[in-house]
Each structure stands twice: as C-alpha cells, then as structure tokens.
Amino acid sequence: MTEPGSGNVRVRFAPSPTGYLHIGGARTVLFNWLLARKSGGSFVLRIEDTDRTRHVDDSVQKILADLRWLGLTWDEGPEAGGDVGPYFQSERLPIYNEYLAKLLASGDAYYAMETPEELQAMREKARTEKRVLSYDRPNPLPTIEQGESARKDGRPVVVRFKMPGEDITVHDDILGDVTLASGQIEDFVIQKSDGFPTYHFACVVDDELMKITHVLRGQEHLMNTPKHVAMQRALGFATFHYAHMPVIFNMNGSKMSKRDKEKALKKGEPPPEIDVNDFRVAGYLPEAVVNFIALLGWNPGDEREHFSLDELVKTFTMERVGKTNAKFDREKLLAFNTNWAASLDFDRLFEAFCDYLSVATDIPQGVRDADEAKLRDALKACLGLRIFPDVVKKVGFVFAPDSDTEYDPKAVKKVLAKNDGAGFAMLELVSAKLETLADWSTSSIEQLIKDVCEEKEIKMGNVAQPLRVAVSGSTISPAIGETLVLLGKDSTLARIRKCLTIRDTQ
RNA sequence: GCCCCCAUCGUCUAGUGGCCUAGGACACUGGCUUUUCAUGCCAGCGACAGGAGUUCGAGUCUCCUUGGGGGUGCCA
C-alpha cells in the first residue's frame, strides 16, 4: 500500500445514515483517517443515503458527533465542503444517471423487469437445483426502449450490470491476491426501481469522481470488490488500492449488533456498548476507545500499547494491519480506560468528565448543577478511577442535600453500631473536635484524626470509617480528609448530627 | 450447497526457517501497599488446532483435514 511520501493519498469513509456510528465502523474510520494523516493525504466523508427505506433522521448529525468525539476530523464532506461534492449520494442522482446511460448504451448494463416475487421464486428454484447463480440473464435482453416504456407504464424496472464472463483477480493490500471465478457473480442491480443507484454503483462512480486512491473497508465487502472492479473496467475507470480489514466480534463470537442491546434489555441485563455513542454515554474516554480499537487488527511490532491519536499517526503503517478477526474484550478496554484516566493531564480529564455528565442519562441533579471548582476537586479526589460512573458513585453524595443522606444498614451495623456503638461514640468525640477546627483543610483534618488515633491508640480506620459512613451513608468515598473538605464544615457537622439520631433506632 | 478469507495463551497480539526453554498486555490466581472504594507494585498460571510433507533444522514454507468468519438482496 502507498505510504508517506507518495502524496495525494485520498481515502474515504462512507457510512449510511441508519443510526449512530458502530464501534466496528469507528475502527474502519480510524484506519482510513490514520492512512490519510500519515501520508499527508485527504480524508473524505461521504454519506451513502441511497436507501430511503432505511434512512434514520438525524443520524448524519449523530455520526458527525461521534467522529468529533473520537477526534477524527474530515477534510471534505458534510459541513466541510470540498471540490468534488456533493458528499451526499442522494444529491448526486444526475451524475449516476449519466454513467448509467453510458453503461446502457455500451451494453454493459440492461433493463430488467422481474417483480420481487419472481426473483424470490428464481432464488428458490436455483437453490433446489443447486445452481450458483439464481438470476437468469434474460435472452434476448430487453431493449432500452422496452425498459423505458415499461418504466413509463409504472412497472418496476431496474437496471442490472452485465457481469463479464471472466475470472477477476483483485489485489488486496492486506490479503494479497483474491481471485473470483467467472460465473460466481450474477448480474446485479445497479439502479433500483425507485431510480436510486444501489451501493455498488454509486460507490464506484463516487470513488472515481472523488479521486479516491485507497479503499480500506471491512472484510464483509471483500466479495463486492470484483463487482466494483468489473464496473470500473466497463466505465474505463482506474482500479485503485483495496484493503479489507478483519471483523470485530463479541467475546462469544457473535456479531456486535444493535440487537444485542435489545436482547440484554429483555433479559433485564444492562445493555452492552455497541455504538461509539454508547461508550461515550457509559463514561469511557475517547482516548481509550481510540487506543483500544487501533490495537484490534493493528500493532506496532513491539511491546508498546499506549497510543494517543498523534502517536498513532506517527507509528501506524498498513503493513502491520493483520488478517485475523478479533473479539472485543471489554475488560481490556476498561483497563485501557483506567490507564488513560491516570495519564491524561487533569484539565483534559475534567473536560472529558464534563462531557460525560452532559450526555449520561442517570446523573443526579446535584451533580449536574454542581459548580465547576467543586466538581474539579471532586474529580481530583477520585483519581485512580476506572470509568466516569465510578466518580459519581464515589462522590455523588457530596452534591446532594444533607437531608438526603441515606444510611446503608450494613455499613451502619459494621462501622457504627458494632461493639456497643463504638463508632457512634467516636463520632461524638470527633465531631466535637471538628467543630472547633479553624482550618478546614485536608491536612489539618487528617492531622486531627491522627491525633485522635494516637491518643486512643487506635487505627485510622476506627475514626475514618465512622466519619465516612456518617457523611456519605456508605463505606465508599474518597480519602476522608478530601471528603470532608469537599463537603465543607457545615454539611459535615450537620450530617454527623443526623447520623447520631439514628443511633437510637439501632 | 457454492464461492472467498482466516487460524499462536481464555482475549488482543509479538514472531517473516535457527536468536523460541514461544515474548508482551488484559483477564485469572497468590502476595504487598492502603483510613473505605479504586488505583499502584510483585509473583504465578497459561498457546503454536490436527495430520502429512519440504529442510540439517518449522510457530514460521507446501498440501490435506478440522474449526471460525464473510458473501450468495431493488442493504450498505
């Protein structure tokens, strides 16, 4: 495959607007994007909206948002413009018709008038007869006049490409040469009865007109390539570089599909993340997602695993893209996320956290409304986090009204009520001292606790844990000094008082 | 069914005929650190799908078998 220095590399990602960007699609974009950035070429985004029945409103905006979240910018396409637009296939119908007329005129394509029912019957017949091709090319072929008049009469008319009767060998930059014997591909539809081109046709015309030099796509397209090459030859187009990447599966070997979410929901399980947006909403860092999917099918050849987008641009080469299908290991992604959360500079981490708060659906109002400075401190207190929901779990109580504190019975029993209420007694003792503490800072609070420990000859946990349960209701919170500072003196004392009132109910 | 692609630890992978006693990462197990939850640190477990060749020598090359995946749409 062409590498840096060769110049003029143009790649494209061509999603159809049927929903959010799938995580597998994200990897396809990433590799295309890397190829473009690496070679100083251009990355083109083209919207393949030729199927009006599957079109989902808003999905273009969603896909653009997903790409932006990942940091994968496009040079040409929606909102960016470019010299070879329009970049929506639905706006290119006259262009397709022009090339369609050429194919019709040269006899490389012909009108066909079978109904869907007839085609279905042909397929079944071919199956019972164990024939490879189900579509029988009509003999003689309908003339252009017949096709056009049938269309005028309102009958369903499509245009089919006449597959040449010769073997087609495609060079794939990942897989090597792939040869498909003649007679393995039937005459396929290139224009639907609604006048829209099919994917195969639009894609071939657009890639040529948009001067694409490298097509890097999923392996599910491998068998389409000979069709595309046949059309390129008929149209006098050049054939460029093709590369087909391995597919990404679930850990159990099934396809990662939107259906997985519905299935899990039905079983009462949390839905797995499938689309890029799912990972965003679930509180993953885009850095971690990018890093992880980059390593699904590519590796640097040494033992490095931690890569930012910039580092990937420097390191990525097509030679190191593998051929084997990969399973999506969510545990490993979580580990990557943990690493990234630890290595990102704090401003960036906070920015990502705010993004999470703005898109996640189950953020408590108190956290949503929290002021920035306090939120920053709260996040800082949670370093070591694996994923953003951990933060809300750990410090969410700080942002709730004092009166909302709910005490986990288990925590109360274990930490406060046990040993004749030793924890409650400790609370009384410590709250009195805290009340007189002038400097409400992490260091002085911790010093105060240490002093108590020394005085009473007890361990930190004997003091910190009762305090933790008293102010949070549970045994989970940041370090106790940071927790109390986040809360402030008034809330701390109020919550301890409230906690002491439950002693009598024990 | 037919066509095409693929094949190293549970998972992602390194390995391009001798550097392989098969390396790393995640997970797992055990230990350490620790005021909770996390984090962090150390150690251990763990793979060349099977069979024929080629070669002085094969995880690496060839063939077969098996297994997995993709395609076989007026979806992309």
Side-chain angles (χ1 to χ4, degrees):
Chain A
M1 173 152 303
T2 314
E3 292 294 354
S6 61
N8 297 326
V9 166
R10 288 176 62 82
V11 298
R12 45 72 165 182
F13 179 63
S16 66
T18 55
Y20 287 101
L21 178 61
H22 187 270
I23 190 69
R27 191 194 51 168
T28 304
V29 192
L30 174 63
F31 284 29
N32 273 285
W33 184 90
L34 286 170
L35 189 57
R37 288 294 168 268
K38 162 120 230 163
S39 57
S42 301
F43 175 56
V44 178
L45 190 60
R46 178 174 77 222
I47 305 300
E48 306 217 324
D49 53 351
T50 54
D51 186 351
R52 295 180 294 173
T53 60
R54 296 212 316 167
H55 191 278
V56 175
D57 277 351
D58 249 25
S59 57
V60 171
Q61 281 311 314
K62 285 173 176 165
I63 291 168
L64 299 188
D66 292 337
L67 292 172
R68 288 193 176 105
W69 183 70
L70 291 168
L72 303 174
T73 49
W74 54 102
D75 305 303
E76 297 171 30
E79 297 183 10
D83 296 336
V84 290
Y87 294 88
F88 286 79
Q89 289 187 330
S90 58
E91 296 170 16
R92 299 172 63 82
L93 261 32
I95 299 172
Y96 305 129
N97 288 336
E98 182 191 324
Y99 286 95
L100 196 76
K102 276 191 191 175
L103 249 19
L104 247 10
S106 66
D108 290 304
Y110 59 90
Y111 284 109
M113 283 154 280
E114 293 80 9
T115 63
E117 293 72 30
E118 286 170 330
L119 292 173
Q120 188 53 37
M122 286 165 89
R123 255 175 234 126
E124 275 160 32
K125 186 158 172 268
R127 208 185 49 215
T128 57
E129 290 173 8
K130 296 191 173 179
R131 277 185 294 120
V132 174
L133 305 187
S134 65
Y135 185 78
D136 304 313
R137 182 182 296 167
N139 189 14
L141 256 23
T143 62
I144 294 180
E145 292 71 32
Q146 286 171 327
E148 282 169 356
S149 89
R151 186 165 270 179
K152 264 187 208 120
D153 296 343
R155 288 165 55 195
V157 175
V158 300
V159 176
R160 283 181 186 264
F161 181 75
K162 202 162 107 192
M163 273 306 283
E166 60 194 28
D167 295 1
I168 295 183
T169 297
V170 179
H171 180 77
D172 184 289
D173 287 323
I174 294 172
L175 267 13
D177 285 345
V178 178
T179 301
L180 204 65
S182 73
Q184 284 300 133
I185 304 176
E186 63 190 24
D187 294 349
F188 53 95
V189 174
I190 58 177
Q191 187 194 43
K192 308 178 215 180
S193 54
D194 66 3
F196 276 68
T198 59
Y199 156 73
H200 300 297
F201 186 56
C203 162
V204 163
V205 170
D206 289 346
D207 284 344
E208 166 75 13
L209 265 31
M210 294 182 178
K211 304 185 174 71
I212 299 305
T213 59
H214 297 68
V215 169
L216 219 190
R217 68 219 317 192
Q219 226 170 70
E220 65 271 18
H221 286 293
L222 183 58
M223 291 295 99
N224 293 155
T225 311
K227 294 182 186 176
H228 299 179
V229 169
M231 282 187 282
Q232 286 165 339
R233 288 177 184 167
L235 286 162
F237 293 169
T239 292
F240 30 68
H241 286 270
Y242 280 102
H244 292 86
M245 327 197 325
V247 185
I248 301 175
F249 296 96
N250 285 315
M251 283 302 278
N252 65 12
S254 65
K255 274 198 206 179
M256 286 180 83
S257 85
K258 298 172 207 293
R259 299 282 317 263
D260 293 347
K261 289 194 265 185
E262 296 155 27
K263 275 189 230 155
L265 248 21
K266 245 178 216 168
K267 281 198 264 176
E269 293 164 2
E273 296 84 13
I274 301 292
D275 294 325
V276 168
N277 187 251
D278 298 334
F279 291 94
R280 182 181 185 183
V281 169
Y284 287 89
L285 291 159
E287 286 86 348
V289 172
V290 164
N291 192 170
F292 181 72
I293 60 179
L295 259 13
L296 242 37
W298 172 87
N299 74 80
D302 52 39
E303 284 167 2
R304 284 176 297 165
E305 284 207 313
H306 193 268
F307 291 95
S308 67
L309 226 30
D310 284 346
E311 290 162 339
L312 283 171
V313 171
K314 287 192 194 110
T315 321
F316 181 83
T317 62
M318 279 303 296
E319 277 74 25
R320 298 212 57 88
V321 176
K323 306 176 180 180
T324 44
N325 290 165
K327 289 178 183 163
F328 195 91
D329 187 348
R330 292 162 194 283
E331 297 286 352
K332 187 153 182 171
L333 171 61
L334 222 208
F336 270 58
N337 203 76
T338 307
N339 285 340
W340 270 101
S343 65
L344 237 30
D345 76 76
F346 187 76
D347 284 341
R348 168 60 197 137
L349 187 70
F350 182 66
E351 179 187 50
F353 181 55
C354 291
D355 176 70
Y356 164 69
L357 293 180
S358 72
V359 297
T361 52
D362 53 353
I363 305 301
Q365 200 56 41
V367 177
R368 239 178 238 291
D369 298 340
D371 75 78
E372 188 178 321
K374 195 167 172 185
L375 214 46
R376 284 180 74 94
D377 290 342
L379 179 63
K380 220 169 245 167
C382 293
L383 292 178
L385 68 112
R386 293 174 71 70
I387 191 169
F388 285 135
D390 294 349
V391 176
V392 175
K393 261 180 233 154
K394 200 165 173 176
V395 291
F397 69 90
V398 165
F399 301 93
D402 296 337
S403 56
D404 279 11
T405 310
E406 278 177 33
Y407 295 94
D408 170 20
K410 267 191 212 152
V412 170
K413 192 174 172 195
K414 186 179 169 198
V415 176
L416 296 171
K418 218 168 66 177
N419 297 332
D420 279 340
F424 283 115
M426 181 57 68
L427 276 184
E428 277 184 324
L429 175 86
V430 178
S431 70
K433 287 178 187 282
L434 286 172
E435 219 158 330
T436 62
L437 186 68
D439 173 33
W440 195 257
S441 68
T442 310
S443 55
S444 37
I445 290 170
E446 281 177 357
Q447 191 55 52
L448 185 151
I449 293 172
K450 271 181 201 153
D451 291 345
V452 173
C453 289
E454 269 180 38
E455 188 187 317
K456 301 276 177 193
E457 295 185 336
I458 52 177
K459 287 185 185 171
M460 288 284 277
N462 290 304
V463 185
Q465 282 300 80
L467 278 171
R468 179 168 281 119
V469 174
V471 300
S472 75
S474 79
T475 57
I476 300 171
S477 91
I480 197 63
E482 290 171 90
T483 301
L484 299 194
V485 169
L486 275 172
L487 218 40
K489 188 169 183 177
D490 291 348
S491 281
T492 299
L493 295 173
R495 289 182 191 201
I496 293 173
R497 275 195 301 276
K498 181 185 171 189
C499 181
L500 284 168
T501 66
I502 67 169
R503 169 159 51 172
D504 306 332
T505 68
Q506 294 302 305

